[in-house]
């Protein structure tokens, strides 16, 4: 399928945008009028530049306030259109976007709109150009695709067709099912945009908060499916107005953009695939079809970057948390610690990937290991979705564990389920017996979730990455109050919740999350939550071992008693232990945070009861306020 993107979607000069788009593998662009107006060159020159970069100019846009106008304004607009057609011929752009009228001079007369668009299309036809009519969600009289289609159909000109934009349809909660009945050859162009669900004026929503497919909350896959069912064979394009994208390095944005289209195509392909007992149906276009998203079954390990001195500090800390040292790597300065099903790896190997991360960010998490059935297929999908593969040096008799580079530079390893709980570690480590294991154990059983601190321009990137590459689905987006600003937080998880990540971004530069990012860089793990079955017992053991927890204000517990109907004895235990509490209709969540270690990293103990499926977000302000007062 021919993949395109509007130049308004990226930051930089027009030349820089074109180079980023070409490098990301796009076939063409939609040229936004303002980008050309501010370009220091002619239309001919722009055509040559795009061609040299392997790009076509698929659409020139927008042409505004044209249809259903009084005669004098209509005639002036025809002359304006002729000048645009001159430019389009010179640069080689075949189609112009004409968006529905927002002018107060427009009249509510679909027949007049059709007649005037027919005349515009007639003039375009003389130059072998086409005009696409698009319904703006805030159009004065034409805001729905069905209204725009009725006008196009009445105009009845071969050089006039419909342009569809998923944002305009889905933001108004218009049903896209009717698109399938529109003849595919009358849909001249398709623009895709996702968005978070927001309660605001649709024009402001459209101009500032669009996102790439897979980053928002719209059913963009369902919309695209209906367009394909109509028999559409034209470009698949992106038109994204987003304030953050206008500041983000355009090379990264372009990679996200391509990943979003590949994800969109692959999901549509999956929906359109016939059932096993159905005959294969012909498709109008060939869609991207990568290996299926991996079915992850849990976190196998968390790896820390260190040097020799910080490795000893981490070893002492892990011992206080009830972990025991169970092995040393066969060929590298790498040590394995374990408790329950949790494996923590400390990598102090010189001249390694981990050491490079340590030198850049200090003591920090540098890699995650996730279990899946087919690691090679998982890496193949990731690279097809524009992630970079990483191959680590492997010594004799050691296992090669496929890995990719995640946004921000850390690694994600795919560990084969066939290895079982211990196969990887038996191969790569000299395992040790520890007679004191039972005494040291604090009752921590597995990783509950891993929380990442992200820069503002990384949140959408990570939502799309986890969705398209790892097969995780995002949950609700929340805003949490830090004493010095707001934290936006969003969980992503697989279906059985064996893999959970929490993505946190600071909207202020003064929060602890923001200050941590200045040290660790974006995409860094800032806390690790570990599950236990009896949090009061685990806390007591860890306090005895020397673990220090974030103290919680006594006022929190007084307020808790007014918000949740708790047994007095449970409330007293929570208060005494310093444990936080949350309740949902499905179950309870009890949790507590350790004090920070180097780099701002900290740990959380968590106990879930019944079907509780969140992360205790309502308690995050209590933790952040306490840390700020420490």
């Amino acid at each position: 399928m021919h993949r395109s993107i509007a130049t308004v979607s990226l930051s930089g000069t027009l030349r820089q945008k074109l180079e980023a788009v070409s490098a990301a593998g796009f076939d063409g662009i939609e040229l936004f009028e303002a980008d050309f107006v501010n370009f220091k060159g002619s239309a001919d020159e722009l055509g040559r530049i795009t061609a040299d970069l392997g790009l076509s100019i698929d659409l020139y846009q927008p042409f505004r306030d044209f249809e259903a106008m009084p005669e004098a304004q209509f005639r002036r607009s025809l002359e304006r259109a002729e000048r645009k057609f001159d430019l389009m011929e010179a640069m080689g752009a075949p189609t112009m976007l004409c968006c529905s009228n927002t002018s107060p001079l427009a009249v509510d007369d679909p027949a007049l709109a059709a007649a005037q668009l027919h005349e515009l299309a007639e003039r375009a036809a003389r130059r072998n150009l086409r005009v696409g009519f698009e319904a703006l969600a805030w159009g004065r009289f034409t805001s729905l695709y069905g209204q725009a289609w009725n006008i196009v159909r009445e105009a009845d000109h071969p050089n006039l067709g419909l342009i569809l934009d998923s944002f305009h349809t889905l933001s108004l909660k218009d049903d896209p099912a009717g698109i399938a009945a529109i003849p595919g050859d009358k849909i001249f162009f398709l623009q895709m945009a996702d968005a978070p669900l927001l309660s605001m004026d649709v024009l402001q929503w459209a101009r500032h908060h669009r996102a790439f497919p897979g980053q928002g909350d719209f059913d963009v896959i369902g919309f695209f499916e209906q367009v394909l069912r109509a028999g559409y064979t034209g470009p698949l394009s992106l038109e994204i107005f987003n304030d953050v994208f206008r500041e983000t390095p355009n090379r990264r944005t372009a990679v996200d953009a391509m990943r979003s289209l590949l994800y969109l195509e692959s999901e549509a392909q999956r929906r359109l695939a016939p059932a096993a007992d159905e005959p294969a149906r012909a498709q109008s276009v060939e869609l991207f079809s990568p290996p299926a998203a991996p079915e992850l079954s849990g976190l196998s390990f968390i790896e820390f970057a260190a040097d020799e001195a910080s490795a000893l500090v981490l070893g002492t800390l892990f011992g206080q948390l009830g972990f025991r040292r169970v092995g040393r790597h066969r060929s590298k300065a790498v040590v394995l610690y374990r408790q329950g099903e949790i494996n923590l790896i400390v990598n102090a190997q010189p001249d390694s990937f981990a050491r490079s991360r340590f030198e850049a960010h200090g003591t920090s998490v540098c890699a995650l290991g996730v279990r899946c059935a087919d690691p090679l297929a998982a890496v193949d999908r990731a690279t097809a979705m524009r992630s970079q593969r990483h191959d680590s040096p492997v010594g004799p008799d050691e296992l090669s564990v496929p890995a990719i580079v995640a946004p921000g530079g850390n690694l994600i390893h795919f560990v084969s389920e066939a290895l079982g709980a211990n196969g990887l570690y038996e191969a790569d480590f000299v395992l040790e017996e520890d007679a004191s294991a039972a005494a040291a154990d604090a009752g921590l059983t597995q990783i509950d979730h891993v929380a990442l601190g992200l820069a503002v321009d990384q949140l959408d990137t990570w939502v799309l990455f986890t969705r398209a590459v790892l097969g995780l689905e995002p949950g609700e987006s929340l805003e949490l109050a830090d004493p010095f600003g707001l934290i936006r937080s969003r969980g992503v998880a697989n279906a059985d919740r064996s893999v959970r990540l929490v993505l946190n971004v600071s909207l202020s530069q003064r929060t602890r999350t923001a200050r941590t990012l200045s040290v660790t860089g974006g995409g860094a793990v800032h806390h690790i939550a570990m599950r236990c079955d009896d949090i009061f017992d685990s806390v007591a053991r860890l306090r005895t071992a020397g673990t220090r927890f974030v103290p919680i204000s006594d006022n929190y517990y007084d307020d808790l008693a007014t918000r949740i109907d708790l047994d007095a004895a449970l409330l007293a235990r929570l208060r005494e232990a310093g444990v936080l509490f949350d309740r949902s209709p499905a179950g309870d969540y009890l949790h507590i945070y350790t004090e920070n270690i180097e780099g701002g990293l900290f740990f959380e103990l968590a106990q879930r009861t019944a079907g509780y499926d969140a992360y205790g977000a309502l308690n995050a302000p209590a933790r952040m306020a306490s840390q700020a007062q420490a």
Side-chain angles (χ1 to χ4, degrees):
M1 194 162 197
H2 184 96
R3 303 180 185 107
S4 188
I5 184 171
T7 54
V8 74
S9 307
L10 300 101
S11 66
T13 66
L14 181 56
R15 181 62 184 255
Q16 291 168 341
K17 294 180 184 188
L18 296 176
E19 291 171 348
V21 167
S22 176
F26 281 88
D27 303 300
I29 61 162
E30 300 176 39
L31 180 61
F32 199 64
E33 184 176 48
D35 279 315
F36 177 72
V37 169
N38 297 317
F39 171 65
K40 290 184 177 180
S42 66
D44 285 334
E45 184 179 355
L46 179 60
R48 289 193 296 272
I49 291 171
T50 54
D52 289 345
L53 290 169
L55 299 170
S56 56
I57 302 177
D58 301 323
L59 188 72
Y60 188 84
Q61 62 113 338
F63 191 63
R64 302 178 187 273
D65 297 335
F66 175 79
E67 84 289 356
M69 290 289 271
E71 184 67 14
Q73 285 77 18
F74 169 59
R75 291 299 160 189
R76 282 199 294 272
S77 290
L78 284 176
E79 290 306 309
R80 181 164 52 96
E82 292 287 1
R83 303 291 73 77
K84 301 304 178 185
F85 292 155
D86 291 341
L87 294 173
M88 291 169 62
E89 282 187 309
M91 67 180 63
T95 307
M96 180 172 73
L97 181 151
C98 179
C99 53
S100 61
N101 210 320
T102 62
S103 170
L105 297 176
V107 295
D108 187 7
D109 187 342
L112 177 61
Q116 293 182 344
L117 284 168
H118 181 98
E119 175 62 23
L120 181 65
E122 184 65 23
R123 295 199 178 202
R126 295 170 192 164
R127 303 170 183 249
N128 198 30
L129 301 175
R130 303 194 307 173
V131 175
F133 184 51
E134 175 189 57
L136 292 179
W138 54 93
R140 189 168 181 205
F141 299 115
T142 303
S143 59
L144 305 177
Y145 74 84
Q147 295 170 323
W149 168 234
N150 287 338
I151 291 171
V152 168
R153 184 166 49 187
E154 184 172 347
D156 191 24
H157 195 289
N159 288 62
L160 178 68
L162 188 65
I163 291 182
L164 294 172
D165 184 315
S166 60
F167 179 87
H168 295 307
T169 296
L170 301 177
S171 64
L172 296 181
K173 299 182 180 179
D174 190 17
D175 186 357
I179 293 173
I182 299 172
D185 61 353
K186 292 303 292 183
I187 303 173
F188 280 6
F189 207 82
L190 173 63
Q191 297 172 320
M192 297 299 304
D194 207 336
L197 295 179
L198 300 172
S199 297
M200 66 187 312
D201 173 76
V202 69
L203 178 58
Q204 295 303 310
W205 192 7
R207 293 279 173 82
H208 302 283
H209 299 287
R210 297 195 203 192
F212 293 129
Q215 293 179 332
D217 300 313
F218 287 171
D219 182 12
V220 288
I221 300 166
F223 181 93
F224 184 42
E225 179 185 357
Q226 298 307 316
V227 178
L228 293 173
R229 291 186 183 280
Y232 176 71
T233 59
L236 172 61
S237 191
L238 296 162
E239 184 192 45
I240 311 298
F241 295 84
N242 185 294
D243 294 347
V244 174
F245 292 1
R246 291 186 179 100
E247 303 173 7
T248 303
N250 55 32
R251 295 280 175 142
R252 174 147 58 88
T253 302
V255 170
D256 282 354
M258 177 55 71
R259 179 179 286 148
S260 78
L261 289 187
L262 298 177
Y263 168 72
L264 181 66
E265 287 184 44
S266 65
E267 289 299 297
Q269 173 85 296
R270 186 172 59 84
R271 287 196 189 185
L272 291 168
D277 57 350
E278 292 180 349
R281 63 173 71 94
Q283 287 188 187
S284 54
V285 293
E286 183 177 350
L287 299 175
F288 178 67
S289 184
E295 294 186 7
L296 306 181
S297 57
L299 282 171
S300 177
F301 64 82
I302 298 176
E303 182 176 341
F304 293 78
D307 64 1
E308 292 76 7
S310 61
L312 295 174
V313 173
L314 282 175
T316 300
L317 171 68
F318 293 162
Q320 291 176 341
L321 289 170
F323 286 83
R324 62 192 187 280
R325 175 174 150 165
V326 297
R328 175 174 287 278
H329 199 276
R330 296 185 184 278
S331 62
K332 303 169 187 172
V334 179
V335 178
L336 173 65
Y337 296 85
R338 178 177 293 158
Q339 183 173 182
E341 299 176 8
I342 307 169
N343 294 290
L344 304 181
I345 293 173
V346 178
N347 189 335
Q349 176 68 21
D351 301 321
S352 65
F353 170 83
R355 182 58 67 92
S356 69
R357 298 302 284 177
F358 173 81
E359 290 171 353
H361 306 298
T363 305
S364 57
V365 172
C366 63
L368 300 177
V370 293
R371 291 191 296 271
C372 67
D374 191 341
L376 290 178
V379 169
D380 286 345
R381 177 182 176 88
T383 54
M385 288 288 183
R386 299 303 193 263
S387 290
Q388 179 184 346
R389 178 172 179 147
H390 178 87
D391 294 301
S392 299
V394 178
D397 300 321
E398 295 170 4
L399 295 178
S400 175
V401 183
I404 60 170
V405 181
N410 282 347
L411 301 182
I412 294 179
H413 295 267
F414 295 99
V415 180
S416 174
E417 292 174 350
L419 293 171
N422 217 34
L424 170 63
Y425 309 107
E426 289 175 343
D428 285 8
F429 289 82
V430 177
L431 298 181
E432 307 167 353
E433 293 293 332
D434 188 344
S436 65
D441 191 283
L444 308 184
T445 58
Q446 65 189 84
I447 298 296
D448 184 85
H449 63 271
V450 174
L452 285 74
L454 307 175
V456 172
D457 63 358
Q458 292 179 314
L459 180 58
D460 288 330
T461 294
W462 266 91
V463 169
L464 178 60
F465 169 78
T466 55
R467 204 174 212 169
V469 175
L470 301 181
L472 308 182
E473 281 300 317
E476 184 181 6
S477 181
L478 304 171
E479 289 192 349
L480 313 174
D482 180 277
F484 301 103
L486 289 178
I487 304 294
R488 183 169 294 148
S489 181
R490 192 166 198 185
V492 294
N494 60 348
D496 69 3
R497 302 303 192 260
S498 60
V499 175
R500 297 175 183 259
L501 302 177
V502 177
L503 312 176
N504 295 322
V505 58
S506 175
L507 304 182
S508 161
Q509 295 304 307
R510 297 184 60 209
T511 66
R512 180 177 291 266
T513 299
R515 295 198 304 273
T516 299
L517 283 176
S518 67
V519 177
T520 62
V525 172
H526 72 73
H527 94 255
I528 298 167
M530 300 177 289
R531 190 89 58 87
C532 58
D533 296 325
D534 184 344
I535 194 167
F536 299 110
D537 179 63
S538 293
V539 169
R541 294 190 193 190
L542 292 181
R543 287 192 192 278
T544 299
T547 299
R548 296 170 62 89
F549 293 98
V550 173
I552 301 300
S553 166
D554 206 48
N555 298 326
Y556 165 84
Y557 297 98
D558 293 338
D559 179 67
L560 181 64
T562 68
R563 294 188 290 110
I564 301 176
D565 184 15
L566 286 177
D567 178 80
L570 175 57
L571 181 62
R573 293 190 77 188
L574 293 168
R575 190 190 300 264
E576 181 181 2
V579 171
L580 300 154
F581 184 91
D582 189 32
R583 172 167 289 170
S584 74
D588 297 340
Y589 187 70
L590 295 81
H591 59 136
I592 190 171
Y593 302 95
T594 70
E595 292 187 346
N596 289 15
I597 63 170
E598 180 186 346
L601 179 71
F602 59 93
F603 295 86
E604 177 184 0
L605 275 62
Q607 179 182 343
R608 295 177 183 270
T609 69
Y612 184 93
D613 193 37
Y615 303 91
L618 289 177
N619 293 323
R623 184 258 302 171
M624 292 186 285
S626 180
Q627 289 173 323
Q629 297 174 71

